[in-house]
């Protein structure tokens, strides 16, 4: 009885199949490693680095500094310029001259380092390094939180003890200096301000794992700041948040046991949908979509803690404030630039559209992420001032929308 024999495939075919399989396996391993790396960067507290700008010349006597024509150097406004690998700091102002090969700006001052030796550096929006530069009274204070004592700056209202307090909260991968710009408008309006730090920001105590909790735990530290303000005589508190600080203060307003005293929220370039922001910022836009989506899934999975070092899986859906828009119970002012690049303004537009009764959006153009004050201080402070005084006509003019019957801010006595 004969048996059917099967021809043996050529050796080259076998080798090709093995090679193809190896390539697929290697590709899968590489994609997995890339996905894990992206996920780690998502939850890690590392410092965000902006683009490098070359310094072409400095004339301290004339108060001028000349840069290569990068996007940062050509953006109008007032900014910090960090040089000597971050050890030197200068303040630069308006553009004095611009050519295809150079941008000359005002040199407003040098706070650290020798700017005449600078060859390159980085721009950011801080401008001020300490409250002392604002020429206002201030003091260092310590606030007790569930993780321990955290440092803060307290700036009393101009001329008197005010029952109205603004608590200013910085964004992810930065510190309190970021929000110093917001102090003057509140100070002149008769509000005391408290500039706070929070867990894992490099100044406050670390949590059990030094990763940002995507505003799901940091809000507890802001609640502690509200308690501090109450101890100092506050009867009305406005929360102000920059970038991820915006999501943190909204979480505080919606979840805190001290809601009754919180009378409003101001958001600058807010990250209201963390997943959406991660998919639109920096080099994430150049990564393959499966890697970006896979990283988001990873930080929210049971494998997340094992591979990224986070304490527990993150609920990235919990960072989407718009999904819980019905929980908003206080007036909200949103300041956002059309070209943000980090936190898409579309999310802020959705928030304003869903809750026109409490949310006012004042859009900016070409101001980028958290540089709205720097780009147009008059517009930024004008919007905040109009919102604080319930000047609906001025807000309507700034936002480009008709006046509405939005609910005014109310203090604790009025909310009771």
């Amino acid at each position: 009885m004969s048996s059917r024999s099967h021809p043996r495939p050529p050796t080259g075919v076998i080798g090709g199949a093995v090679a193809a399989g190896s390539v697929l396996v290697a590709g899968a391993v590489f994609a997995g490693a890339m996905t894990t790396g992206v996920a780690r960067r998502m939850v890690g507290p590392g410092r965000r680095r902006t683009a490098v700008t070359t310094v072409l010349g400095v004339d301290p006597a004339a108060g001028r500094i000349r840069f290569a024509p990068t996007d940062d150097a050509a953006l109008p406004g007032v900014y910090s310029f960090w040089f000597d690998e971050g050890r030197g700091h200068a303040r630069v102002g308006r553009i004095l001259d611009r050519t295809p090969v150079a941008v000359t700006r005002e040199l407003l001052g040098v706070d650290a380092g020798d700017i005449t030796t600078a060859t390159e550096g980085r721009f950011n929006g801080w401008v001020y390094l300490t409250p002392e530069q604002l020429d206002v009274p201030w003091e260092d204070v310590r606030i007790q939180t569930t993780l321990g004592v955290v440092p803060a700056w307290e700036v009393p209202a101009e001329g008197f003890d005010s029952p109205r307090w603004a608590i200013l909260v910085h964004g992810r991968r930065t510190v309190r200096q970021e929000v110093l710009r917001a102090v003057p408008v509140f100070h002149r309006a008769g509000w005391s301000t408290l500039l706070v730090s929070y867990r894992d920001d490099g100044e406050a105590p670390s949590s059990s794992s030094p990763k940002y909790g995507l505003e799901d735990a940091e809000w507890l530290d802001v609640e502690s700041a509200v308690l501090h303000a109450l101890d100092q005589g506050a009867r009305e508190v406005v929360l102000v948040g920059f970038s991820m600080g915006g999501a943190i203060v909204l979480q505080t307003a919606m979840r805190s046991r001290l809601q009754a005293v919180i009378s409003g929220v101001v958001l600058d370039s807010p990250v209201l949908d963390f997943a959406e922001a991660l998919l639109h910022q920096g080099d994430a836009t150049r990564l393959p979509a499966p890697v970006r989506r896979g990283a988001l899934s990873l930080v929210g999975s049971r494998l997340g803690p094992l591979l990224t070092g986070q304490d527990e899986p993150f609920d990235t859906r919990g960072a989407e404030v718009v999904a819980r828009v019905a929980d908003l119970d206080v007036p909200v002012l949103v300041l956002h630039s059309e070209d943000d690049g980090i936190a898409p303004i579309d999310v802020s537009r959705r928030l304003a559209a869903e809750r026109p009764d409490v949310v006012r959006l004042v859009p900016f153009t070409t101001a980028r992420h958290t540089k709205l004050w720097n780009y147009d201080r008059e517009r930024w402070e004008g919007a905040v001032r109009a919102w604080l005084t319930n000047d609906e006509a001025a807000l309507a003019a700034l936002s480009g929308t008709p006046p509405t019957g939005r609910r005014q801010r109310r203090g604790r006595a009025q909310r009771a």
Side-chain angles (χ1 to χ4, degrees):
M1 187 172 181
S2 62
S3 62
R4 179 177 297 175
S5 62
H6 297 278
R8 179 177 298 176
T11 303
V13 172
I14 295 176
V18 170
S22 299
V23 169
L24 290 174
V25 171
V29 171
F30 176 75
M34 180 181 291
T35 299
T36 301
V38 173
R40 285 173 178 163
R41 291 198 298 273
M42 286 180 179
V43 301
R47 302 296 178 194
R48 183 175 65 245
R49 296 178 66 80
T50 56
V52 172
T53 297
T54 299
V55 177
L56 301 178
V58 182
D59 186 344
R64 298 164 69 94
I65 182 168
R66 193 159 54 96
F67 298 103
T70 62
D71 290 342
D72 286 334
L75 188 64
V78 179
Y79 302 93
S80 284
F81 182 71
W82 298 89
F83 58 95
D84 191 19
E85 298 184 345
R87 291 184 289 268
H89 179 266
R91 287 166 280 121
V92 299
R94 63 189 177 95
I95 296 172
L96 302 174
D97 185 47
R98 183 175 178 179
T99 71
V101 296
V103 177
T104 303
R105 307 187 68 130
E106 286 182 305
L107 178 61
L108 301 176
V110 180
D111 302 305
D114 182 359
I115 191 66
T116 62
T117 65
T119 58
E120 64 180 22
R122 300 173 186 270
F123 284 82
N124 80 354
W126 285 15
V127 179
Y128 306 112
L129 300 185
T130 71
E132 191 172 26
Q133 293 176 300
L134 299 175
D135 195 26
V136 295
W138 64 281
E139 63 176 310
D140 280 311
V141 296
R142 297 292 182 266
I143 297 173
Q144 182 66 49
T145 73
T146 56
L147 280 185
V149 175
V150 305
W153 287 319
E154 186 177 303
V155 180
E158 185 174 9
F160 61 96
D161 292 331
S162 174
R164 299 178 300 175
W165 283 61
I167 295 176
L168 313 182
V169 182
H170 65 79
R172 191 170 186 250
R173 296 176 177 172
T174 187
V175 287
R176 286 175 289 162
Q177 281 86 344
E178 179 183 43
V179 296
L180 279 167
R181 294 164 284 174
V183 170
V185 65
F186 286 96
H187 186 69
R188 289 191 299 267
W191 291 69
S192 295
T193 52
L194 190 63
L195 294 72
V196 302
S197 53
Y198 54 80
R199 63 193 64 195
D200 301 324
D201 70 356
E203 291 192 313
S206 297
S207 55
S208 57
S209 176
K211 306 285 182 181
Y212 276 102
L214 310 192
E215 97 282 330
D216 199 41
E218 293 91 341
W219 72 269
L220 292 169
D221 299 334
V222 178
E223 182 182 67
S224 296
V226 176
L227 278 172
H228 174 88
L230 292 176
D231 288 343
Q232 301 304 309
R235 296 196 299 274
E236 178 182 0
V237 173
V238 162
L239 304 178
V240 183
F242 282 58
S243 190
M244 182 179 134
I248 294 172
V249 298
L250 274 178
Q251 289 288 327
T252 310
M254 292 189 293
R255 299 170 67 176
S256 173
R257 58 198 167 99
L258 305 173
Q259 289 178 346
V261 76
I262 299 171
S263 65
V265 175
V266 177
L267 308 175
D268 182 306
S269 311
V271 176
L272 300 179
D273 184 332
F274 192 78
E276 188 73 13
L278 288 173
L279 294 177
H280 281 79
Q281 65 177 284
D283 60 359
T285 57
R286 297 190 292 272
L287 294 173
V291 172
R292 293 184 289 148
R293 293 291 178 186
L296 286 175
S297 298
L298 180 58
V299 299
S301 73
R302 293 181 179 179
L303 286 176
L306 178 64
L307 296 178
T308 69
Q310 61 202 73
D311 290 332
E312 58 186 17
F314 291 135
D315 181 5
T316 54
R317 295 171 303 171
E320 186 180 358
V321 174
V322 179
R324 299 194 304 276
V325 70
D327 296 336
L328 284 175
D329 190 39
V330 293
V332 179
L333 173 65
V334 185
L335 306 158
H336 213 143
S337 184
E338 301 281 357
D339 67 338
D340 187 290
I342 300 293
I345 193 175
D346 290 348
V347 184
S348 290
R349 293 193 188 282
R350 282 162 44 203
L351 182 66
E354 289 287 334
R355 290 299 303 274
D357 56 321
V358 294
V359 179
R360 169 69 81 180
L361 170 63
V362 176
F364 287 65
T365 58
T366 66
R368 302 188 191 168
H369 186 66
T370 66
K371 291 186 173 124
L372 285 65
W373 181 95
N374 306 80
Y375 178 75
D376 192 340
R377 177 175 180 173
E378 183 177 350
R379 180 179 178 82
W380 195 98
E381 293 190 348
V384 172
R385 186 165 51 248
W387 184 79
L388 288 174
T389 58
N390 299 309
D391 187 343
E392 186 60 29
L395 277 176
L398 288 166
S399 63
T401 58
T404 67
R406 285 175 173 79
R407 192 175 66 192
Q408 295 184 343
R409 292 182 304 97
R410 294 178 293 178
R412 180 169 57 181
Q414 294 168 298
R415 293 173 60 88

